[in-house]
Amino acid sequence: GAVVSQHPSRVICKSGTSVKIECRSLDFQATTMFWYRQFPKQSLMLMATSNEGSKATYEQGVEKDKFLINHASLTLSTLTVTSAHPEDSSFYICSARDVGAGGTEAFFGQGTRLTVV
Amino acid sequence: AQSVTQLDSQVPVFEEAPVELRCNYSSSVSVYLFWYVQYPNQGLQLLLKYLSGSTLVKGINGFEAEFNKSQTSFHLRKPSVHISDTAEYFCAVSDLASGTYKYIFGTGTRLKVLA
């Protein structure tokens, strides 16, 4: 299947700083990417849908000014956690649709473990 | 809105015994269904998927699932589990009607295989 690369896999940052997480589709073009958040021992919660060349669509309850999403190209979406606080510590996972292959399936990155200290 | 229910939060089972992990979704005209496995501190690995066609779907690692439209279920089964199957399993639904292909995940089932 198609490969989605997420970077970094782990990051520790100080409270109040910003962190950027990258999600790349390596061998396909992705007009749509999705960002999920997973708290320990819980399920994945969709945060936002990232659309290439347009604004992201955020799910209810997700602060768009805190979680900035940029999808500037067909192979890259970034999630920036601004002014991070310890409660933002979580596992963040992205996924991307391979529109060229019909787009029926999304492929997932390996996730980013964010720890805010 | 689409929703996914995994009734069992934890399932302990002895090695070489069969297992079934249950998944039910809310009704929709058409959906895609998926099962993923997640090992600690890792991303999701696709086990199997149902897009159309045969309702019995075979996946990797000896897993299979059956799509039952009337019961809106997509239960995951394995006839004989191994210690290495210990992990978190997520059922997911992609609602075609929404047009976005975003996934809705169940709350997960922790499978613990006992020696």
Side-chain angles (χ1 to χ4, degrees):
Chain A
V3 178
V4 174
S5 175
Q6 199 172 330
H7 178 80
S9 58
R10 291 176 179 271
V11 58
I12 300 173
C13 71
K14 290 185 177 180
S15 186
T17 62
S18 295
V19 174
K20 181 184 286 187
I21 303 170
E22 294 186 346
C23 179
R24 293 181 184 273
S25 56
L26 296 187
D27 48 4
F28 67 97
Q29 294 183 330
T31 56
T32 305
M33 292 185 174
F34 303 91
W35 287 96
Y36 295 84
R37 181 175 183 177
Q38 184 182 31
F39 290 105
K41 301 185 188 299
Q42 294 188 28
S43 187
L44 285 77
M45 299 302 295
L46 180 66
M47 297 174 67
T49 302
S50 170
N51 303 298
E52 187 268 335
S54 64
K55 291 183 178 180
T57 303
Y58 290 82
E59 296 298 304
Q60 191 172 7
V62 177
E63 300 176 60
K64 60 181 67 176
D65 294 330
K66 181 167 187 62
F67 299 100
L68 300 180
I69 292 173
N70 183 279
H71 194 158
S73 79
L74 287 171
T75 58
L76 174 65
S77 175
T78 60
L79 168 68
T80 301
V81 183
T82 63
S83 186
H85 291 287
E87 57 265 31
D88 298 324
S89 298
S90 190
F91 195 57
Y92 294 86
I93 303 177
C94 71
S95 71
R97 286 178 56 207
D98 184 355
V99 181
T104 56
E105 180 182 346
F107 299 93
F108 288 81
Q110 289 303 300
T112 297
R113 171 74 60 193
L114 169 63
T115 303
V116 185
V117 297
Chain B
Q2 187 66 254
S3 65
V4 180
T5 302
Q6 290 181 248
L7 289 171
D8 307 303
S9 60
Q10 293 189 65
V11 173
V13 62
F14 285 103
E15 193 174 19
E16 297 183 5
V19 70
E20 177 180 82
L21 306 184
R22 296 180 292 170
C23 173
N24 288 86
Y25 62 95
S26 56
S27 179
S28 175
V29 176
S30 55
V31 294
Y32 294 147
L33 296 156
F34 307 85
W35 273 100
Y36 287 88
V37 60
Q38 185 181 37
Y39 299 99
N41 293 311
Q42 294 188 28
L44 302 179
Q45 180 181 7
L46 180 66
L47 282 176
L48 48 78
K49 61 186 176 185
Y50 171 79
L51 303 181
S52 65
S54 174
T55 57
L56 183 61
V57 180
K58 293 189 181 298
I60 62 172
N61 300 341
F63 285 95
E64 64 180 32
E66 185 155 17
F67 169 59
N68 188 319
K69 188 174 182 179
S70 62
Q71 296 185 7
T72 60
S73 67
F74 190 55
H75 300 333
L76 180 71
R77 303 186 186 97
K78 186 169 182 177
S80 176
V81 296
H82 301 129
I83 295 289
S84 59
D85 292 324
T86 295
E88 189 85 19
Y89 292 80
F90 292 99
C91 179
V93 170
S94 182
D95 189 344
L96 300 183
S98 71
T100 63
Y101 293 92
K102 62 184 180 182
Y103 284 28
I104 304 300
F105 284 87
T107 50
T109 297
R110 182 169 297 277
L111 174 63
K112 185 171 177 60
V113 181
L114 308 170

